C-alpha cells in the first residue's frame, strides 16, 4: 500500500489557470507538508499542517493555498498559475513523537511535476 | 541564517571505494539531523537520522553517518560504493518549532 500518494503525477496547464494537487497519507501521521523542488533540485518547504492548523507558512505567494479536509489529506490549490510555478511539488507526512510533540522522520510522496505553459 | 549546508554539488567515486557526502549544520540546541536519498523521478526516501545517543548512526542500504558536535557536521558514509547508490542526497535538520530545512543536495555518481 502506498504510504503517501499524490495526484496527479503530471500536470500541464496554461498561465492564469487555477489547479489543485491532492495528497493523502495512510500512515496516521499528525503533520503533513508541501515542498517545491525547482529545476536545480533545491527543495523548499511551503506549508505544513498539524491537526488541521497551519504551523509553517514560508514566503510563499498567497496564490498558493493549502487545504486540509482531514488529518489524512493536505491538498495544494494554486490560483493564477505563472511560468515560475513550474516545478515538482512533493507532499510529505511525519508523526509527532515524545512528550513535546516533536516532528520525526518525514515520508514523501512520489511528486507532481507541474508545467506551466 | 542557513541551517544546513552541503558544500559539494557533485561527488564522484569509483565502485567499491568508500564514499563520503558532507553536511554541516548551524542550529542552536540539540539538532535532529536526517539524510534522505532521491532517485531520478522519485520522491525522497529516508536513510537515517540522529536524535541523541551514539554519534555513529547506521541506516538503510549500508549507509552510516557520524554526528560531530564540535565540527557541527553530519557526514554520510558508506564503506564500499555501489553503482546503484548513484542518486541525489539531501541532508536535513529539524529546527526548534518543528521546522525542517533541507540542504541543497549532493549528486553522487558511482563510476563502474
Amino acid at each position: 500500500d502506498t504510504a503517501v500518494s499524490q495526484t496527479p503525477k503530471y500536470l500541464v496547464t496554461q498561465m492564469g489557470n487555477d489547479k489543485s494537487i491532492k495528497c493523502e497519507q495512510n500512515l496516521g501521521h499528525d503533520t503533513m507538508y508541501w515542498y517545491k523542488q525547482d529545476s536545480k533540485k533545491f527543495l523548499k518547504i511551503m506549508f505544513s499542517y498539524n491537526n488541521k492548523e497551519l504551523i509553517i507558512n514560508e514566503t510563499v505567494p498567497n496564490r498558493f493555498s493549502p487545504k486540509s479536509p482531514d488529518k489524512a489529506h493536505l491538498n495544494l490549490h494554486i490560483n493564477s498559475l505563472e511560468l515560475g510555478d513550474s516545478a515538482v511539488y512533493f507532499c510529505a507526512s511525519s508523526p509527532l513523537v515524545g512528550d513535546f510533540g516533536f516532528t520525526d522522520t518525514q515520508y514523501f510522496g512520489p511528486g507532481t511535476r507541474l508545467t506551466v505553459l | 541564517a542557513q541551517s544546513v549546508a552541503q558544500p559539494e554539488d557533485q561527488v564522484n567515486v569509483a565502485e567499491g571505494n568508500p564514499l563520503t557526502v558532507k553536511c554541516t549544520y548551524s542550529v542552536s540546541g540539540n539538532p535532529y539531523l536526517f539524510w534522505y536519498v532521491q532517485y531520478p523521478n522519485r520522491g525522497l526516501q529516508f536513510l537515517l537520522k540522529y536524535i541523541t545517543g551514539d554519534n555513529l548512526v547506521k541506516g538503510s542500504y549500508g549507509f552510516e553517518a557520524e554526528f560531530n558536535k564540535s565540527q557541527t557536521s553530519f557526514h554520510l558514509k558508506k564503506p564500499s560504493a555501489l553503482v546503484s547508490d548513484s542518486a541525489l542526497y539531501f541532508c536535513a535538520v529539524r529546527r526548534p518549532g518543528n521546522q525542517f530545512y533541507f540542504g541543497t543536495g549532493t549528486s553522487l555518481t558511482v563510476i563502474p
Side-chain angles (χ1 to χ4, degrees):
Chain A
D1 288 340
T2 303
V4 182
S5 59
Q6 296 179 227
T7 54
K9 187 172 177 64
Y10 299 97
L11 183 55
V12 181
T13 187
Q14 299 286 332
M15 282 176 55
N17 284 353
D18 302 338
K19 291 293 179 184
S20 292
I21 306 173
K22 295 184 177 181
C23 177
E24 177 180 3
Q25 55 98 0
N26 62 5
L27 299 168
H29 287 168
D30 305 284
T31 307
M32 295 182 71
Y33 309 80
W34 276 106
Y35 287 87
K36 178 181 180 181
Q37 187 173 44
D38 63 21
S39 58
K40 294 184 178 180
K41 305 298 184 183
F42 294 155
L43 202 61
K44 176 184 175 182
I45 188 167
M46 301 177 72
F47 304 102
S48 71
Y49 256 73
N50 183 350
N51 293 327
K52 293 190 178 182
E53 292 184 296
L54 181 66
I55 59 172
I56 298 175
N57 188 342
E58 299 292 321
T59 55
V60 172
N62 57 15
R63 298 181 295 103
F64 291 80
S65 55
K67 299 190 191 306
S68 181
D70 55 57
K71 195 171 108 169
H73 297 83
L74 182 65
N75 303 325
L76 182 65
H77 190 76
I78 315 169
N79 291 326
S80 302
L81 278 156
E82 300 178 356
L83 293 176
D85 298 333
S86 296
V88 180
Y89 292 84
F90 288 101
C91 177
S93 71
S94 67
L96 294 177
V97 295
D99 295 335
F100 298 100
F102 293 135
T103 51
D104 201 351
T105 304
Q106 297 185 27
Y107 293 83
F108 284 78
T112 295
R113 182 175 295 277
L114 171 65
T115 303
V116 182
L117 303 176
Chain B
Q2 193 174 31
S3 298
V4 60
Q6 294 179 242
E8 301 159 317
D9 292 335
Q10 175 78 42
V11 170
N12 297 325
V13 63
E15 186 177 23
N17 282 3
L19 70 87
T20 298
V21 182
K22 296 179 180 177
C23 173
T24 59
Y25 66 91
S26 57
V27 295
S28 58
N30 297 319
Y32 278 31
L33 296 160
F34 301 80
W35 275 103
Y36 287 83
V37 60
Q38 185 180 25
Y39 298 101
N41 301 313
R42 303 286 294 276
L44 277 71
Q45 296 178 32
F46 168 74
L47 275 180
L48 50 79
K49 65 182 177 184
Y50 172 82
I51 305 298
T52 186
D54 194 349
N55 289 343
L56 184 63
V57 178
K58 294 188 182 297
S60 307
Y61 312 120
F63 283 93
E64 58 188 28
E66 186 169 10
F67 172 67
N68 188 317
K69 190 171 184 178
S70 62
Q71 297 184 6
T72 62
S73 66
F74 189 56
H75 301 332
L76 180 71
K77 300 181 180 183
K78 187 173 182 180
S80 178
L82 300 173
V83 173
S84 58
D85 293 330
S86 298
L88 188 58
Y89 290 82
F90 289 95
C91 181
V93 63
R94 185 190 67 78
R95 293 182 62 185
N98 281 336
Q99 300 177 44
F100 274 89
Y101 287 88
F102 283 78
T104 50
T106 298
S107 179
L108 172 69
T109 300
V110 180
I111 304 165

